[in-house]
Amino acid sequence: MDRIRITGGQRLNGTIPISGAKNATLPLMIASLLTDQTLILENVPRLADVGLLQRILGNHGVDIMVSGKRPGETAYDGQTLHISAANVIDTTAPYELVSRMRASFWVIAPLVARMGEARVSMPGGCAIGTRPVDLLIMALNDLGAEIEIDRGYVIARARKGLTGGSISFPKVTVGGTHTAIMAASLARGTTVIENAAREPEIADVADCLNKMGAKISGAGTARIVVEGVPRLNGARHRVLPDRIETGTYAMAVAMTGGDLLLENARAELLQAALNVLCQAGVEVTVTNAGVRVARNGAGLSPVEVATAPFPGFPTDLQAQLMALMTCAQGTSQIRETIFENRFMHVQELVRLGARIRLDGERATIEGVERLKGAPVMATDLRASVSLVIAALAAEGETMVNRVYHLDRGFERLEDKLSACGAAIERISG
Ligand code: EPZ
């Protein structure tokens, strides 16, 4: 199993290219199941989760071709996928695959909408909480799908197609909103989705679906209206930049000091997180090339933050902010309101010398002068990267174990950081 060795204390200076967003790429790839024509996705990041979803879609009969490199392209340019679901050969998504990546459950929506039936394994628990799928099932049910749960599988049937309806989410859910939009796109009649998630990745997927011929309005707001169409076509779409990768490198340079240009980043995708960094005393400048984040000399001020659905502070940056606040000059408070158990990084940060107290959904972080390197490991993607951020500023050497979590969501992390001065290397095996 690969490990990452970091020797802390180097400032970060230079440019980091931001990749396409993982959490837009996954539903966009799944949306290819809605049409028998080819969907071309550009700026797709090279990530383990993208590779795994390619395998899962392959199991349904989807063909995926990756374009070769064009002259002038760098190692950091995203890939272009040509995805064709002309022949769906299997409408079952088995446990062995769905249990490895929760978002693959979302195939249930395009499969039942286009094929009239889907049999998808329940995803099961995961390291950041129980994460049920009841609201995704509710949405499909509201569009007329018959639902049966049988031996760990959700079976959704709509032999005569889905019908438009009214879906009102009692809680904001990203996966529920993706599922509702995809299913409603091919339903007969109009669907109104209330209390929809407003994450930028929802708007990006809706934008792509509209290019495919769907009629979706209001994506990016809490009320989305979808007028169903009988069929969708192929299209070409460029994945938006990854706001969580952007926020992660912004926290990294805030931690080490230095000056980074986060190339291609779009500030409006993570305004809440950038505001928190400004409050902490970090300099943030929006330029034509991206977002510049710098901290030179001054100490970090503590902050009080609660995670919330977009446009609030994202849960996917909570662990990284906590790593940063371990070295603030004072006491910070972070409340995690989205997932009940997303604090797996706390004990590992404590191993590096952080002072953190947990009380239910609230973490109190007392800033320390300096962290000290130690061997650490983590159980999810964002927790792992928070340990990398802490290690970049810690005295001495930190070995981060279980690097496969990082590979799920951060493209060439160690290359991007070492190009900007970090002492970071991957140790294979
Ligand atoms: C998406 O997960 C993201 N995943 C997550 O990113 C992200 O943390 C999360 O949204 C919140 O922003 C992808 O986009 C692939 P939810 P999702 O449905 O859709 C509860 C990362 O690190 N809920 O918005 O699964 C749920 O338990 C990942 O990249 C129900 O109760 O999250 C949670 O408390 C991890 N019933 C809340 O809603 C349901 O049926 C929000 O979850 C569905 C969700």
Side-chain angles (χ1 to χ4, degrees):
M1 234 186 272
D2 288 4
R3 291 172 297 163
I4 283 185
R5 177 161 53 206
I6 298 168
T7 308
Q10 310 296 323
R11 290 160 76 83
L12 291 171
N13 283 295
T15 299
I16 292 188
I18 298 301
S19 301
K22 167 180 87 79
N23 286 350
T25 301
L26 301 178
L28 283 164
M29 289 173 71
I30 289 172
S32 70
L33 284 166
L34 286 165
T35 174
D36 60 2
Q37 295 184 14
T38 302
L39 176 64
I40 303 174
L41 296 180
E42 298 174 347
N43 199 31
V44 171
R46 291 171 182 77
L47 297 172
D49 271 8
V50 171
L52 180 57
L53 185 56
Q54 274 178 255
R55 276 187 49 206
I56 293 170
L57 292 176
N59 200 52
H60 295 294
V62 176
D63 275 333
I64 302 187
M65 204 262 292
V66 182
S67 292
K69 260 210 160 68
R70 295 207 198 124
E73 274 185 0
T74 72
Y76 293 116
D77 286 313
Q79 19 174 24
T80 300
L81 303 186
H82 298 245
I83 312 177
S84 163
N87 300 306
V88 174
I89 53 171
D90 195 344
T91 54
T92 295
Y95 176 72
E96 304 76 73
L97 295 174
V98 179
S99 59
R100 293 179 59 190
M101 187 176 50
R102 200 186 134 77
S104 59
F105 183 83
W106 303 346
V107 298
I108 195 166
L111 285 175
V112 69
R114 178 167 155 220
M115 309 306 293
E117 180 174 303
R119 189 169 164 271
V120 180
S121 169
M122 305 254 237
C126 83
I128 62 174
T130 49
R131 301 183 81 188
V133 287
D134 55 324
L135 301 177
L136 284 69
I137 294 175
M138 178 202 87
L140 295 175
N141 201 234
D142 288 345
L143 300 182
E146 284 166 33
I147 306 285
E148 189 190 328
I149 315 273
D150 182 32
R151 281 166 286 181
Y153 279 77
V154 180
I155 303 165
R157 289 193 190 90
R159 296 258 189 254
K160 292 185 181 149
L162 295 169
T163 41
S166 151
I167 301 172
S168 180
F169 287 112
K171 182 174 192 178
V172 176
T173 156
V174 172
T177 307
H178 279 309
T179 306
I181 293 177
M182 284 195 242
S185 291
L186 284 184
R188 261 189 321 278
T190 302
T191 298
V192 178
I193 306 168
E194 305 276 5
N195 199 24
R198 290 179 280 165
E199 269 64 8
E201 293 75 21
I202 301 277
D204 199 46
V205 174
D207 186 25
C208 175
L209 288 170
N210 282 341
K211 288 180 196 161
M212 293 163 71
K215 294 194 175 144
I216 304 163
S217 57
T221 74
R223 185 173 192 272
I224 300 176
V225 179
V226 186
E227 250 181 77
V229 294
R231 63 188 307 275
L232 292 172
N233 312 310
R236 178 182 279 270
H237 182 78
R238 189 174 172 80
V239 179
L240 89 172
D242 196 313
R243 65 195 165 99
I244 305 302
E245 190 195 25
T246 307
T248 300
Y249 290 124
M251 308 262 178
V253 65
M255 186 77 176
T256 61
D259 191 336
L260 280 187
L261 172 65
L262 305 172
E263 201 176 37
N264 308 321
R266 280 171 37 197
E268 76 276 15
L269 303 181
L270 71 159
Q271 203 55 61
L274 296 178
N275 290 347
V276 168
L277 284 175
C278 291
Q279 272 172 38
V282 178
E283 237 178 86
V284 177
T285 325
V286 179
T287 75
N288 283 342
V291 178
R292 230 186 93 194
V293 184
R295 183 168 73 85
N296 291 308
L300 287 163
S301 306
V303 295
E304 284 196 17
V305 170
T307 60
F310 193 86
F313 187 93
T315 172
D316 290 348
L317 285 175
Q318 179 257 111
Q320 298 89 316
L321 177 67
M322 195 177 303
L324 179 62
M325 286 301 123
T326 59
C327 288
Q329 294 169 331
T331 302
S332 302
Q333 297 256 359
I334 302 182
R335 270 178 62 219
E336 171 56 59
T337 72
I338 310 285
F339 293 111
E340 79 273 20
N341 191 24
R342 206 173 197 180
F343 281 133
M344 309 302 280
H345 44 285
V346 169
Q347 285 318 314
E348 300 299 301
L349 289 171
V350 166
R351 288 173 53 73
L352 297 174
R355 287 210 197 115
I356 306 171
R357 237 185 14 258
L358 274 182
D359 180 12
E361 61 176 32
R362 189 183 303 273
T364 306
I365 307 115
E366 218 182 292
V368 295
E369 193 72 35
R370 187 161 280 289
L371 299 175
K372 289 204 176 121
V376 287
M377 69 165 79
T379 43
D380 87 84
L381 161 63
R382 312 303 178 185
S384 313
V385 86
S386 77
L387 301 176
V388 171
I389 291 177
L392 288 171
E395 197 177 280
E397 185 182 293
T398 298
M399 193 69 85
V400 182
N401 295 295
R402 297 200 181 166
V403 171
Y404 59 86
H405 287 296
L406 286 173
D407 294 335
R408 291 188 56 191
F410 291 93
E411 184 173 357
R412 306 178 70 123
L413 172 103
E414 62 279 17
D415 293 345
K416 289 186 181 184
L417 285 170
S418 62
C420 294
I424 178 170
E425 62 175 336
R426 180 181 291 248
I427 300 167
S428 301

